[in-house]
Amino acid sequence: MAVCIAVVAKENYPLYIRSVPSDSELKFHYTVHTSLDVVEEKVSAVGKVIVDQRELYLGLLYPTEDYKVYGYVTNSKVKFVIVVDSSNTSLRDNEIRSMFRKLHNSFTDVMCNPFYNPGDPIQSKVFDSMVSSMMVQTC
Amino acid sequence: MADEALFQFLHNELIQYVYKSSEQGEMENARCITKLENMGFRVGQGLIERFTKDTARFKDELDVMKFICKDFWTSVFKKQIDNLRTNHQGIYVLQDNKFRLLSQLSAGKQYLEHAPKYLAFTCGLVRGGLANLGVKSIVTAEVSVMPACKFQVMIQKV
């Protein structure tokens, strides 16, 4: 389903990033990093122009030739970014939404782990396997 | 209800433990308060992550404070904050007329000097919650008449 999943901290450094074709890892890092500007833009627009749109899910951030980038921001300003292959047209908005929800749930569990230090890279195995499950569904 | 009692007893033991594990003295008192406050901070961070999972994004600071007073307080202390006041310049005063962690103590003046111990954890709780929502603050508490207490939240501008 997804080719790259990233969790970015409040201060815009990556907490977790994983991509499926591991040879083009750098490219995905770059893609995710670029997307943060769009996230920023969408978040700051909220409350000014459109009051109703206060959902955590930000929707499609931007499409590129090969990939679509989706974003999600939690109330604690942690960003989730999912990159999906453009060729995969069967993927609907609802499914992306549910993927983000799953990601968020898993992230909350990580945050509530007393041994986890907020702001550290995520090393949880449960989180890892959850992310893998979202990636495997594609292939 | 039993689940409320659990938290209260654990909180009481926490205070006992922190104070017993350090030597007596004026200096140590401050350190114990800090310790309790830091524990609360981490708990607050985790809690807010849980509580705000399904809520809409907050508009501004006041929106965040309202959330703390209503939903957060209800989830932790089974009641809302009785009074929220602000000077609109980053200072908020949250008043609870019957603070649950003090309600089991005598309503007279007898234990007034011990009251700060019972508020440190909660101060941290609020500070941690706010910090995770991107609001840096200093939280202090004061008690004048026993089960009522005031939390003062000072937002730090960057």
Side-chain angles (χ1 to χ4, degrees), chain B residues 93-121:
Chain B
V93 179
L94 288 69
Q95 191 179 339
D96 192 335
N97 292 332
K98 193 170 182 292
F99 187 53
R100 207 156 66 90
L101 296 175
L102 293 177
S103 61
Q104 300 302 321
L105 273 59
S106 158
K109 285 202 156 62
Q110 192 183 358
Y111 296 113
L112 205 57
E113 55 179 311
H114 294 290
K117 294 183 203 173
Y118 288 84
L119 299 171
F121 185 83

Side-chain angles (χ1 to χ4, degrees), chain A residues 48-127:
Chain A
K48 279 176 192 160
V49 195
I50 323 146
V51 189
D52 300 357
Q53 217 181 41
R54 286 162 65 193
E55 216 188 341
L56 302 178
Y57 175 56
L58 295 175
L60 182 66
L61 295 178
Y62 63 90
T64 64
E65 228 163 90
D66 314 321
Y67 304 107
K68 282 182 189 154
V69 185
Y70 292 89
Y72 185 101
V73 183
T74 71
N75 272 312
S76 50
K77 306 282 185 299
V78 173
K79 294 116 187 152
F80 301 132
V81 178
I82 294 183
V83 185
V84 182
D85 215 313
S86 278
S87 60
N88 192 346
T89 46
S90 61
L91 210 57
R92 267 191 250 111
D93 205 44
N94 248 340
E95 290 160 61
I96 300 282
R97 209 180 278 261
S98 76
M99 274 163 81
F100 274 122
R101 195 158 311 128
K102 244 164 85 181
L103 206 61
H104 195 175
N105 281 340
S106 220
F107 177 73
T108 354
D109 289 341
V110 172
M111 264 304 281
C112 291
N113 174 4
F115 295 109
Y116 173 72
N117 240 332
D120 285 359
I122 295 168
Q123 282 164 331
S124 154
K125 278 186 186 142
V126 182
F127 190 82

Side-chain angles (χ1 to χ4, degrees), chain B residues 53-107:
Chain B
K53 205 167 64 183
D54 301 315
T55 58
R57 220 193 330 272
F58 298 114
K59 267 195 310 240
D60 50 10
E61 227 170 67
L62 191 65
D63 221 25
V64 172
M65 290 312 293
K66 276 186 196 157
F67 176 83
I68 295 279
C69 291
K70 286 187 183 152
D71 302 80
F72 187 78
W73 220 258
T74 317
S75 304
V76 181
F77 300 112
K78 311 279 182 237
K79 76 187 279 291
Q80 289 186 12
I81 278 283
D82 293 298
N83 193 350
L84 168 69
R85 272 179 296 170
T86 175
N87 65 351
H88 296 289
Q89 279 165 24
I91 294 182
Y92 295 84
V93 179
L94 288 69
Q95 191 179 339
D96 192 335
N97 292 332
K98 193 170 182 292
F99 187 53
R100 207 156 66 90
L101 296 175
L102 293 177
S103 61
Q104 300 302 321
L105 273 59
S106 158

